[in-house]
């Protein structure tokens, strides 16, 4: 995967297929072909939107999956089912999954392995809570999440995934990490990747920042050396706002 920028919208539990289709059609008219734009959409939108996006620069993906290939897991969805519906990537370990649904690093790790085996690109989310940051534990928390969520992967596999650093205190709160605060953690993540998988792998992994990204701060965040894109929640729901983030570089020329 090229080192970015990859700009991903995470719609969470928003939009019907009709609403999603209208959004993608409008977005297609307003994005540069060289920008990688990804949309993590509700399961029910996958088929329709992967059709609408076609072979454009917009990739459609899901927000979660179960690690098992099949079985008695009522209400769950497998990697193969996501592929069958046109998904190309999947968010894994989003803080809402970790905190509201009790997902552990071990569970996220099983999903990462399954996603890679199934040809889905995992976007693995990590990040500390405010309490952990205040206690000076940010790096320790990040290290534990990286060790746990990426356990057992080889360098080739790590090159095939995306990491998203999303400080929990910045998600949906309007409070963004400053570019310096975010860069500090991103640089730490890249150092840790270097330690675990070597220079070549560490240099290639896309690391996105997420947490209250908006048109006003996207460019400044992505200008940091180790920030290769953004993962956008709330500001990805309105197509004009999201298009401004996608086209952030137009303001810089
Ligand atoms: P936010 O969400 O942009 O609304 O803070 C980010 C996310 O949850 O990925």
């Amino acid at each position: 995967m090229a080192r970015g920028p990859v700009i991903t919208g995470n719609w969470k539990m928003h939009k019907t297929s009709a609403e999603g289709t209208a959004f993608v059609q409008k977005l297609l008219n307003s994005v540069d072909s060289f920008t990688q734009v990804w949309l993590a959409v509700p399961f029910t939108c996958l088929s329709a939107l992967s059709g609408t996006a076609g072979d454009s620069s917009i990739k459609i993906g899901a927000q979660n999956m179960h690690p098992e290939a099949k079985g008695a897991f009522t209400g769950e969805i497998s990697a193969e089912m996501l592929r069958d519906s046109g998904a190309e990537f999947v968010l894994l370990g989003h803080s809402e999954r970790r905190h509201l649904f009790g997902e552990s690093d071990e569970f996220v790790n099983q999903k990462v392995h399954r996603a890679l085996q199934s040809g889905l690109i995992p976007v693995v989310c990590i990040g500390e809570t405010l309490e952990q940051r205040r206690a000076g534990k940010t790096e320790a928390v990040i290290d534990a999440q990286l060790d746990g969520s990426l356990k057992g992967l080889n360098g080739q596999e790590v090159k095939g995934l995306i990491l998203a650093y999303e400080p929990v205190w910045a998600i949906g709160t309007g409070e963004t990490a400053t570019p310096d605060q975010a860069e500090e953690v991103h640089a730490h993540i890249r150092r840790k990747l270097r330690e675990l998988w070597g220079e070549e792998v560490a240099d290639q992994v896309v690391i996105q920042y997420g947490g209250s990204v908006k048109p006003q701060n996207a460019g400044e965040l992505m200008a940091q050396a180790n920030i290769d894109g953004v993962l956008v929640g709330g500001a990805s729901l309105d197509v004009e706002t999201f298009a401004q983030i996608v086209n952030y570089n137009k303001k810089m020329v």
Side-chain angles (χ1 to χ4, degrees), residues 10 12 94-96 166 170-174 210-213 231-235:
N10 171 15
K12 310 192 180 186
H94 187 278
S95 78
E96 283 148 22
E166 299 203 298
I171 297 180
T173 57
S212 298
V213 173
L231 178 51
V232 189

Side-chain angles (χ1 to χ4, degrees), residues 1-251:
M1 206 149 9
R3 244 295 276 278
V6 180
I7 297 175
T8 305
N10 171 15
W11 285 355
K12 310 192 180 186
M13 201 168 70
H14 294 280
K15 296 194 192 295
T16 61
S17 306
E19 288 164 350
T21 302
F23 181 110
V24 171
Q25 281 163 345
K26 274 200 195 150
L27 190 64
L28 280 170
N29 293 327
S30 44
V31 296
D32 299 325
S33 54
F34 58 82
T35 311
Q36 300 189 68
V37 184
W38 297 19
L39 289 174
V41 304
F43 298 137
T44 48
C45 289
L46 286 170
S47 293
L49 299 200
S50 55
T52 309
D55 54 11
S56 70
S57 59
I58 299 180
K59 265 196 209 320
I60 302 297
Q63 302 168 12
N64 183 33
M65 56 169 250
H66 195 274
E68 292 298 330
K70 56 176 72 157
F73 300 102
T74 302
E76 290 293 330
I77 195 154
S78 72
E80 193 189 339
M81 291 166 187
L82 296 182
R83 292 282 288 150
D84 185 46
S85 305
E88 294 185 74
F89 73 93
V90 60
L91 302 186
L92 296 177
H94 187 278
S95 78
E96 283 148 22
R97 301 296 321 168
R98 291 176 185 268
H99 296 285
L100 301 175
F101 301 95
E103 293 195 6
S104 64
D105 285 322
E106 194 187 351
F107 195 46
V108 174
N109 181 243
Q110 291 168 16
K111 298 182 191 211
V112 174
H113 280 275
R114 175 69 64 187
L116 285 165
Q117 281 159 17
S118 310
L120 284 168
I121 303 169
V123 178
V124 183
C125 306
I126 54 176
E128 82 288 358
T129 62
L130 188 56
E131 211 182 359
Q132 290 164 334
R133 173 165 281 261
R134 286 196 176 137
K137 292 187 183 149
T138 300
E139 294 190 354
V141 169
I142 296 293
D143 286 354
Q145 289 176 334
L146 285 172
D147 284 332
S149 310
L150 306 187
K151 194 171 172 188
L153 299 181
N154 62 40
Q156 201 54 34
E157 290 170 322
V158 175
K159 279 199 251 174
L161 56 75
I162 286 188
L163 286 172
Y165 168 58
E166 299 203 298
V168 178
W169 48 271
I171 297 180
T173 57
E175 196 174 330
T176 328
T178 64
D180 286 348
Q181 274 176 325
E183 171 61 17
E184 198 183 336
V185 180
H186 280 238
H188 174 78
I189 294 171
R190 212 173 295 282
R191 270 197 303 277
K192 175 86 180 162
L193 293 175
R194 196 169 296 132
E195 213 178 280
L196 294 171
W197 288 282
E199 190 83 30
E200 198 220 328
V201 173
D203 281 349
Q204 283 189 35
V205 178
V206 170
I207 311 176
Q208 294 178 309
Y209 168 80
S212 298
V213 173
K214 25 187 187 283
Q216 295 77 3
N217 59 24
E220 215 188 338
L221 285 160
M222 282 187 277
Q224 303 300 312
N226 288 290
I227 302 185
D228 312 311
V230 284
L231 178 51
V232 189
S236 74
L237 293 174
D238 173 71
V239 70
E240 266 101 42
T241 310
F242 188 57
Q244 282 177 44
I245 296 175
V246 170
N247 292 326
Y248 76 98
N249 55 334
K250 288 207 177 133
K251 278 201 299 206

